[in-house]
Amino acid sequence: MTEVSDVIVIGAGFAGLYAVHRLATSGLSVIGVEAAPDVGGTWYWNRYPGARCDVESVDYSYSFDDDLQRSWQWSERFAAQPEILAYLRHVADRFELRRHYRFGVDVVGAAFDRDRWHVQTATGHTYAAQFLLCATGCLSAVNRPNIAGVDDFSGEVYFTAAWPREDPDLRDKRVGLIGTGSSGIQVAPIIADQARHLVVFQRSANYTIPMSNRPWSIEEQREIQEQYPERRRASAYASAGTPHGTYPKNAVDTEPGEQAEALWKRWREGGVLFAKTFPDQTSDPAANDVARRFAEERIRDIVTDPVVATDLIPLDHPIGTKRICTDSGYYAIFNRDNVQLVNLRREPIREITPHGARTSAAIYPLDVLIFATGFDAMTGALTRINPSGPGGERLRDIWHDGPLTFLGLMVPGLPNLFTISGPGSPSVLANMVLHAEVQVDWVIDLIRAARQQGVSEIEPRLDAARAWTDQVAEAAERTLFPKAASSWYLGSNIEGKKRTFMPYIGGFGTYRRHCDDVAQHNYAGLVLTTRSKGK
Ligand code: NA7
């Protein structure tokens, strides 16, 4: 059976829910499909203990509805996963969004044929619509590394990115944690508290900054509400979609004492902003070194064993060029007797055995294995669907040499398909919620204009997509980001994936102006094909 609508939205995370709301209130028929049993997207699946957003809660929330904004009080500066999920459930209730959704629906393919997208699902049910909006998320295609022997492990196995609804009981257990990105770094202190023994298997060390999370006081909540309009105005065209800026001077023009003061201030305030304390920090190696040395001193201050401290200091990337992590007491766990760090660069894992892990140097007996091994980020959720265009060309082929997009939103050869937060957009480098609102608004304006003009197909010109993709690459080349040995921004965490810096790093405000400009110039760069008579 095929269900038909004007638009299909894949995903019920922040972007998908907003898209469904906007489409439904714009007079278009919309069907949303979502693999999970309920709304939440990445916040549905990543429910491991300690999961938190690294953008302040008051910014990481919708701006489109003043009443919604006024009616919701965030309890903490950085919201934890249960509160973010509760917020998304509240939004779904308030705007009656679930009635548009089919949950538990795994999309396995999509093909454009005779003016329509046909979406195939794992159950064989199909959906058809003129437009397909993929709100599939940047961090949703889970990376399950193929480590020798992993299927023979006789203990419990968990993935942070697909955590069970009921937390496993880790008391009195020996737990192995593989992966030290944000997820591993957030979950580790909680496991260290619960488990008898925790072994952290670290392949690459990451920089992490104390989150300095705290509850918002009643007074602060009142102030936030009063200042919300101004806060949103300041974020609207800001470089990361939040109201925060950098120190007013470049690090290289600042005296060492003043540099340290600025870095201490950011360190104590906590969070990802440390990664851009100075404007030149992620573009000038000398400025980056100032911040890097400071962070390394903090690691050595906290971790008492100097060998362990050295192992925790990254060697393979300028600070901030891999997503900087934020934590609640990560480094300090390595001072505990029940926590052990295993440096996989020194002793790689040879195999997982039924009772633990064997490295080149030792055997680690384990009852539980937790994988915090990340995602096939930004492109994985899309290439796993691998949509095909009218000429039969498939996304994986089109992106064989790296993602090719127009504004990170459209792909040549795949008409009427939109990739919200796709590669080539600022997405993961900006406030994802505001970013989703901007992109969804742009797409819906385009769809409405196209329908009014009887347009059947919208597709970016190949040269326009190439020009945008070149701009994305050039913006990255002006920074130190491509210098990281490996990162999910570069796709190099996934075997066989083309190494390309995927997000647009020219700034959220600059990106938004580009989108505005394209719309004001009658969607220059797009080919709009008008429906032929009789069709
Ligand atoms: P990340 O940041 O991609 O981290 C994944 C971690 O898993 C990282 O330390 C990897 O080491 C490690 N990893 C991956 N595969 C293996 C294998 N085979 N063996 C050992 N270690 C491995 O994912 P997260 O979920 O932590 O965070 C993703 C984003 O979510 C984060 O940046 C925030 O924006 C929110 P590697 O560095 O590749 O050597």
Side-chain angles (χ1 to χ4, degrees), residues 427-505:
S427 60
V428 291
L429 302 175
N431 172 354
M432 291 288 281
V433 183
L434 193 53
H435 183 274
E437 289 179 335
V438 165
Q439 286 195 322
V440 166
D441 288 346
W442 190 90
V443 168
I444 291 179
D445 286 349
L446 171 59
I447 290 178
R448 291 174 70 185
R451 284 171 69 91
Q452 271 165 15
Q453 294 164 29
V455 165
S456 59
E457 287 185 22
I458 310 168
E459 191 184 333
R461 286 201 326 261
L462 186 59
D463 64 326
R466 285 202 177 126
W468 176 252
T469 303
D470 287 347
Q471 276 199 57
V472 174
E474 282 157 19
E477 285 307 322
R478 288 193 289 271
T479 73
L480 301 173
F481 279 74
K483 305 256 180 289
S486 169
S487 83
W488 58 261
Y489 291 151
L490 287 160
S492 49
N493 62 324
I494 300 296
E495 219 182 300
K497 189 164 170 176
K498 171 91 182 170
R499 186 185 160 101
T500 317
F501 190 79
M502 293 182 286
Y504 172 67
I505 201 167

Side-chain angles (χ1 to χ4, degrees), residues 42-43 46 48 52 54 139 143-147 160-161 177-186 201-206 272 316 322-325 344-345 349 371-375 377 428 486-489 492-494:
T42 200
W43 297 107
N46 287 268
Y48 58 86
R52 270 176 206 285
D54 57 9
L139 298 162
N143 176 35
R144 296 170 189 266
N146 189 15
I147 301 176
T160 49
L177 172 66
I178 299 183
T180 50
S182 274
S183 305
I185 283 174
Q186 286 188 339
F201 293 97
Q202 171 193 280
R203 188 165 68 181
S204 313
N206 260 309
V272 290
D316 62 351
K322 276 173 94 160
R323 176 69 165 216
I324 206 157
C325 304
L344 298 181
R345 298 276 175 216
I349 295 180
F371 288 92
T373 42
F375 303 88
V428 291
S486 169
S487 83
W488 58 261
Y489 291 151
S492 49
N493 62 324
I494 300 296

Side-chain angles (χ1 to χ4, degrees), residues 327-340:
D327 70 277
S328 305
Y330 178 67
Y331 291 126
I333 64 171
F334 296 100
N335 297 334
R336 297 174 64 135
D337 291 337
N338 72 328
V339 177
Q340 185 178 7

Side-chain angles (χ1 to χ4, degrees), residues 233-316:
R233 263 195 298 279
S235 305
Y237 283 84
S239 72
T242 67
H244 306 289
T246 59
Y247 197 67
K249 280 194 289 184
N250 280 340
V252 294
D253 301 325
T254 306
E255 292 302 312
E258 195 183 334
Q259 284 173 344
E261 219 173 287
L263 289 163
W264 266 117
K265 185 165 183 290
R266 280 276 160 108
W267 182 270
R268 290 196 176 109
E269 280 168 0
V272 290
L273 293 174
F274 181 86
K276 345 182 221 192
T277 304
F278 298 104
D280 54 347
Q281 196 170 309
T282 52
S283 54
D284 181 340
N288 193 274
D289 273 351
V290 172
R292 182 184 56 75
R293 278 195 301 270
F294 180 92
E296 291 177 7
E297 282 164 19
R298 301 294 71 74
I299 298 171
R300 293 193 194 281
D301 286 348
I302 300 169
V303 179
T304 47
D305 181 332
V307 176
V308 177
T310 302
D311 278 347
L312 287 165
I313 293 173
L315 299 172
D316 62 351

